[in-house]
Amino acid sequence: MDWDKLRVFHAVAEAGSFTHAGENLNLSQSAVSRQISALEESVKVPLFHRHARGLILTEQGELLYRTAHDVFAKLSMAEARIRESKERPSGPLKVTTTVAFGSTWLTPRINEFLERYPEIELSLVLNDEELDLAMREADVAIRMQPPRQADLVQRQLMTLRYHVFASPEYIKQHGMPKTPEELKDHRLIIYGADARPPVSNVNWMMATAQQFKPDMRPILKLNNIYGIFRATESGLGISALPDYLLPTNSNLVRILPELEGPSFDAYFVYPEELRHSKRIAVFRDFLIEEISKVKAKAAAAASATATTEK
């Protein structure tokens, strides 16, 4: 089977149209169409159903796509391992994590990593859906739950905990609750039913307030942690947020320090085949170093607070 035609077929199957595949391959639509027609002629079966709104794989097309996808994934893995034979870490490194963690914690620290390793071509994919690492949709994932896929290496990075936060604007307008019971008199922002948080009892703050006011309703429900963070920053209400969402430039204030929510672990995950990757090793070490800095800073702040209270 012609390798170029197989490459074009895989791109078309991924894109769902000749036009989009041509853009990805830097080929004209007619050139892509000719390649597919020639491939169908050589295998003597149609590989796509043609529709006005795009292309749909036939049963035979699905079979060929799965095989081709597996082949290209293995080739990509082989290329990565060959690159690792070089002395200094270099080449592409695709990292995926959640929108909230990537936007608030990871991205502000990337500049220092790239200054240390300028030969690494870093790509960040921020997505609350888990990408398939085995099929090389990404090289590394930072996940807020243990991986469900088999044959993945995982390392626990840090333990995170939910706390209660509000903005200075909100506190100025509505006051600061002094006890958990006073939450019942405030505007609470919570997670909606279709949210996918890392803990099951994510609306523990609302449950606390409803102990004192059972019919209490939230001011807003959101299905995204980053959205809740931004709504809280705007002064809309009080919310429960994980530690990592408080970047150094955030104006949010932790309130009710005695009220602690559930904890969860963040994991560094990558395929078994990349266990000896230098790019992954230096990125992992960088993350561990940054986490150590955060812990040291938090410990110093806690010590300073304790000294002031004395």
Side-chain angles (χ1 to χ4, degrees), residues 156-294:
Q156 193 255 354
L157 281 177
M158 55 182 162
T159 299
L160 300 158
R161 184 174 292 277
Y162 282 84
H163 295 109
V164 183
F165 295 94
S167 70
E169 292 77 14
Y170 177 87
I171 294 171
K172 182 178 180 180
Q173 185 173 355
H174 301 280
M176 181 187 294
K178 301 294 192 303
T179 65
E181 181 178 356
E182 290 183 10
L183 284 173
K184 66 182 175 57
D185 301 316
H186 285 267
R187 301 163 61 163
L188 304 187
I189 305 168
I190 70 168
Y191 299 82
D194 53 348
R196 301 174 66 181
V199 295
S200 57
N201 56 334
V202 69
N203 284 325
W204 57 276
M205 181 185 65
M206 173 60 77
T208 299
Q210 288 176 332
Q211 292 177 10
F212 307 100
K213 187 179 179 181
D215 62 345
M216 183 174 182
R217 295 292 179 266
I219 187 68
L220 179 66
K221 293 181 180 181
L222 272 165
N223 70 341
N224 180 276
I225 294 177
Y226 186 62
I228 291 178
F229 167 69
R230 295 308 301 269
T232 308
E233 275 196 326
S234 75
L236 178 63
I238 297 172
S239 68
L241 296 168
D243 301 309
Y244 70 79
L245 274 170
L246 274 296
T248 55
N249 62 346
S250 173
N251 67 341
L252 294 185
V253 177
R254 182 179 169 187
I255 60 177
L256 298 173
E258 74 278 13
L259 194 60
E260 289 197 332
S263 64
F264 60 96
D265 292 329
Y267 297 88
F268 186 82
V269 184
Y270 54 93
E272 173 68 32
E273 293 87 347
L274 295 179
R275 180 183 288 275
H276 302 294
S277 166
K278 293 179 182 178
R279 290 167 299 150
I280 289 177
V282 296
F283 186 66
R284 178 198 61 212
D285 292 345
F286 172 77
L287 292 178
I288 293 171
E289 179 184 327
E290 289 298 307
I291 291 166
S292 297
K293 290 179 184 177
V294 171

